[in-house]
Amino acid sequence: MTRPEEIRIAVIGSGKMGSVHARNITRTPGARLVGVAGGSGADSLASRYGAGHLGIEGAFARRDIDAVVISSPNRFHADHIVRAVEGGKAVLVEKPVDLDLDRVDQCINDVGQASDRVVVAFNRRFDPSFAAVHHRILAGEIGAVEQLVIISRDPAPPPLEYVQTSGGLFRDMMIHDFDMARHLVGDIVSIQASSQTTDPDLGALGHATGAVATLTATSGALVTIVNSRSNATGYDQRTEAFGALGTLAVRNPTPTLVTASNRYGTHAGDPFITHYAERYSTAYRREIEHLVAVARGEEKPLATLHDGRAALVLALAAGESAASGGAAFGLLA
Amino acid sequence: MTRPEEIRIAVIGSGKMGSVHARNITRTPGARLVGVAGGSGADSLASRYGAGHLGIEGAFARRDIDAVVISSPNRFHADHIVRAVEGGKAVLVEKPVDLDLDRVDQCINDVGQASDRVVVAFNRRFDPSFAAVHHRILAGEIGAVEQLVIISRDPAPPPLEYVQTSGGLFRDMMIHDFDMARHLVGDIVSIQASSQTTDPDLGALGHATGAVATLTATSGALVTIVNSRSNATGYDQRTEAFGALGTLAVRNPTPTLVTASNRYGTHAGDPFITHYAERYSTAYRREIEHLVAVARGEEKPLATLHDGRAALVLALAAGESAASGGAAFGLLA
Amino acid sequence: MTRPEEIRIAVIGSGKMGSVHARNITRTPGARLVGVAGGSGADSLASRYGAGHLGIEGAFARRDIDAVVISSPNRFHADHIVRAVEGGKAVLVEKPVDLDLDRVDQCINDVGQASDRVVVAFNRRFDPSFAAVHHRILAGEIGAVEQLVIISRDPAPPPLEYVQTSGGLFRDMMIHDFDMARHLVGDIVSIQASSQTTDPDLGALGHATGAVATLTATSGALVTIVNSRSNATGYDQRTEAFGALGTLAVRNPTPTLVTASNRYGTHAGDPFITHYAERYSTAYRREIEHLVAVARGEEKPLATLHDGRAALVLALAAGESAASGGAAFGLLA
Amino acid sequence: MTRPEEIRIAVIGSGKMGSVHARNITRTPGARLVGVAGGSGADSLASRYGAGHLGIEGAFARRDIDAVVISSPNRFHADHIVRAVEGGKAVLVEKPVDLDLDRVDQCINDVGQASDRVVVAFNRRFDPSFAAVHHRILAGEIGAVEQLVIISRDPAPPPLEYVQTSGGLFRDMMIHDFDMARHLVGDIVSIQASSQTTDPDLGALGHATGAVATLTATSGALVTIVNSRSNATGYDQRTEAFGALGTLAVRNPTPTLVTASNRYGTHAGDPFITHYAERYSTAYRREIEHLVAVARGEEKPLATLHDGRAALVLALAAGESAASGGAAFGLLA
């Protein structure tokens, strides 16, 4: 048996997620970090792992690079996807494809047939627990999903400057839940959303700090999503799928497995893990393994550009519903 | 100190809840079961506890009866409330006051000042766990409630004949959740609801088997309610209140405290308790204790006719929203 | 179908357990509280339920009494059992039968064939959770029990005066665990025990506040028992049976089903229930139901005088082992 | 600030644990894998990480190697420790130091003052949950530990050939629990143990498959340890420390965070993690980080040769007690 060729990968972007991906590439069997491009930290990040500091042009052009991870700022994603595909590379791109639907459509059009080599990094799909719920639903364990409740709460709001370029709660945060909803119950036909603001600074800028959305799927399933930008207990990411035969739920991890009891009661554990990089560390490793498999033609993208577009459509419709008090229908992709 | 006079109570109605209340009256210190009136089982129920079989007229008229429990069919509630109050009695009445808002308003008008002696039996308010969440919210443990998620699922749909006179899912089942929402976050200003049908028999009659509602409170809190008429695991009644300082949640009880583990995993317990009479046995006892205290003038009703009306208003608005796809506003009582 | 005759019951003893039993008799279908005898509270207790204040002699002699509950001080138990049986009554007797083995043997001898009408009130056998573990073991769910771990901790030591007449930790407290061990794994062939004292007052009197015992069953099963006279979290009563196919465990109940989470972590519940009368309320009710069934000849005693004797033998052996540092063998009954 | 010198590490032994350590060295900041020595897999293991295939002599002699990880067969541990120390290296050695107490004493004597550079790899001390219990006990959260219950069960017995050279259950398996007991409650003064055999193949060779031990600490604390060579639910490693102020417990992890409920009940999770390499993956990483810190003189060994000796003394005494039915006293180190 011959060993598969090593997949040579470049990382575009040297921020937090770029660093996470670069480290994981060095730890993934069959993957090699060739270089890092873009951002003021690219040189330092590359040298930490003995890789090269690339120009962005070079990363897309070099023939000896098989795949790229796109962790550049959001506004470059669509362009970088197209150029990477033109360079013959497999792609893992952070969400969103773009905040603007027209640009996403243009990107999809430009990518064309190569879309089966582009993975959108909806990280929760790669998490072992969410993946297990997905697989167990497909295996029929609870019958058809009739109701889905998703609760996502972040430990604290992001910095004001980030919020202002993020596209708002629906496109920045709830987009993950929209994708998970579609992953678990399929296409969505209508959505109603309400939002609230409890942070004066964010409120003054017109940004929501919490929201609730109700979705109806083609299948008839009802989906409820609850979001908050802050949560005293930490990173809270739960999902509960309900069908005629039972319920499957994902609960929150804690840093240790210690339980304490005393005269005040029983304490089941520490606060939840407070950072996404820790909560989804396995998911991020699996994203790279998946990219390697997609680059080799062994797997189809677990989340496609089409999935990225569909989640954005829902986010835009949710924003309109929350603003108008009405519901949006006819969302079926 | 003189011991308070015993409160003499008659039960109107001899169905399931009439039986529960009659037994609890015999076990409540300070309460005495004088008699049972109404329904084909009244004689048998009365004799089981050595009480008299009363005529309904007599129950309301007799001077030596201090309080009545109204467990008659829904359509008699409003009339029985008024007559009991006219007879000078304290009242515990099963929900709903009536399915028709005009009749509720007429009842409230007729009762007038005596409303501080009429308790609507929203049983969950009397449950130790839901009551603890209420008290801990009032004590400021989690700050102002920002989000509230209520999940209520029954083990199985009621008989078709019951469903047809029940007023439908919103007035029959979700009305408990509307009351709990108001109990925990105060007045509601808007509501959106969606329903679904997974049971062909109920669907053919135009009845929903599941529903989701999103409510906005005057306080700005967002409330989500999820209902299903059936649930494989049994009676599922959860509530989770979220505020800036933390979360308070009520989980489901199980019949025993046994945990099993084997090669398939760890099993946290039996199915949930499957009958409301068992799930809320403590609540039903507390309802009678509360009725005794209200009859003595020691306590104000924990749930008033006004609360019964407000929950009905929400149920009606939810039904309209689910039918029209729109939201209802201006619900503030 | 004719309804079974009502079983007429007298309670001997008017302390805490006498009160619990008297009330439960009034609430048990098919049982009637005829009277209460013995103790300064007998008159008041009897009148609370409209029953008679009996002399002890009368209670044993009256022909219209079918059964007695013996809740008198420990030193009278053996005598009262014999006299009740001589009077033709079924018996429920609080543990211990006696603190002295010779007196227990004499009692068993005197009772003779009537022993199938004498129930020793090892309350845990009547608890739904411990009973479920027993039944599920018998049903083969975990295979033969190989290891059994029992942890019992009381909220706080009993009053000094009680401890001095209690027979010590092994005969007063761990005797319940010895009985549960025999109930779940059968006869015991050897025991080793160690004790400790953390309370200076009890230590000065030579009394242990904690102990550990290891037992070997005829079956080969190893049993571990851990006891403490005090526990900050409340009444802690757990059992875990381990076999080739899995594990069955009983966990502790809490007063409510509320879970809280905040920046300090997740709090699974209140302190455990702190009083045995509340923890075992269902078990005490079932004891009376069982007494009724035994009096009618419908059931055999769930715990016999022989079981009471066997638990005492283990308690005595444990005390000797803890004092000598050695093990006791040949305990097989 | 100058960056600390990289610590250059060789791995002795190329079996399972050698592979785990080699990989972790490549992922630990400040550590570098220089080479692998010993065993038929050394060449392949070394080349996987671009390291050299060393002779054992060379590994101990080379001046440019700062530390060694000793994962060779047990019978070589003591010799390899001494030679590594003579070569000036810091050492991480798998337990046991040796199965023979005299050889351990000789090893300690030979190592002399260099013992503060030798770490015995009792992995549980490095696990975040067990470490948290240790720290919280030291912080006084539960007061002085009065009782400690440790339950350790492996998924399945090791291969017969391994068992025969393992030194038996007490020296191979319970030795971890003896170390944890000493870590949490300090020195031990007496021990009693009982063993059992449920596997005919192991029984025919005189090997126990289960055991219980009771230890008394100098502090007065009572320790109970329960072991089984097999467990249907997987790898079961729990500890519960009890003091006057409360209890601290470590529960088992599961592969995912999924909970399922259906008509059979609520299932809290998958079977426990079934392999130590996965259960203790964080602990193994921390062992290497600790070795780096010890090599730099920044930390003292978390588990010393003396700790390794003390756990062996307890294992030997437990074996004697189980064989004789007696207790061993005077074990205080």
Side-chain angles (χ1 to χ4, degrees), chain C residues 235-249:
Chain C
Y235 204 49
D236 181 10
Q237 306 254 296
R238 285 171 288 159
T239 288
E240 183 172 309
F242 167 79
L245 303 181
T247 301
L248 286 165

Side-chain angles (χ1 to χ4, degrees), chain D residues 36-60:
Chain D
V36 180
S40 56
D43 191 11
S44 151
L45 180 57
S47 70
R48 191 183 314 159
Y49 297 107
H53 180 194
L54 309 177
I56 289 183
E57 297 305 316
F60 294 128

Side-chain angles (χ1 to χ4, degrees), chain C residues 5-18:
Chain C
E5 291 290 317
E6 215 169 41
I7 298 298
R8 298 168 56 86
I9 308 177
V11 172
I12 316 297
S14 51
K16 282 184 197 169
M17 285 311 303

Side-chain angles (χ1 to χ4, degrees), chain D residues 121-194:
Chain D
F122 281 121
N123 56 319
R124 245 175 275 169
R125 291 197 183 204
F126 295 87
D127 174 74
S129 296
F130 287 97
V133 168
H134 178 62
H135 294 145
R136 291 166 74 169
I137 288 172
L138 290 183
E141 181 174 327
I142 60 170
V145 177
E146 298 176 8
Q147 299 181 334
L148 183 68
V149 177
I150 302 177
I151 297 176
S152 298
R153 294 181 179 128
D154 284 348
L160 271 182
E161 54 270 34
Y162 174 84
V163 172
Q164 288 185 272
T165 66
S166 71
L169 183 146
F170 293 112
R171 284 187 288 178
D172 171 46
M173 181 175 173
M174 201 180 277
I175 196 169
H176 283 288
D177 306 302
F178 292 136
D179 180 65
M180 186 48 57
R182 291 186 63 256
H183 192 45
L184 297 181
V185 304
D187 286 323
I188 302 298
V189 289
S190 78
I191 185 169
Q192 289 180 315
S194 304

Side-chain angles (χ1 to χ4, degrees), chain B residues 231-234 254 261-272, chain D residues 231-234 254 261-272:
Chain B
N231 183 31
T233 316
T254 51
S261 63
N262 53 37
R263 66 197 179 97
Y264 302 108
T266 297
H267 310 275
D270 316 272
F272 309 135
Chain D
N231 183 32
T233 316
T254 50
S261 63
N262 52 38
R263 66 198 179 96
Y264 303 109
T266 298
H267 310 274
D270 317 272
F272 308 137

Side-chain angles (χ1 to χ4, degrees), chain A residues 8 23 33 99 109 117 121 179 189 202 244 295 330:
Chain A
R8 300 168 55 87
R23 188 183 59 212
L33 180 67
L99 291 173
N109 187 65
R117 291 168 56 77
D179 180 64
V189 289
L202 288 171

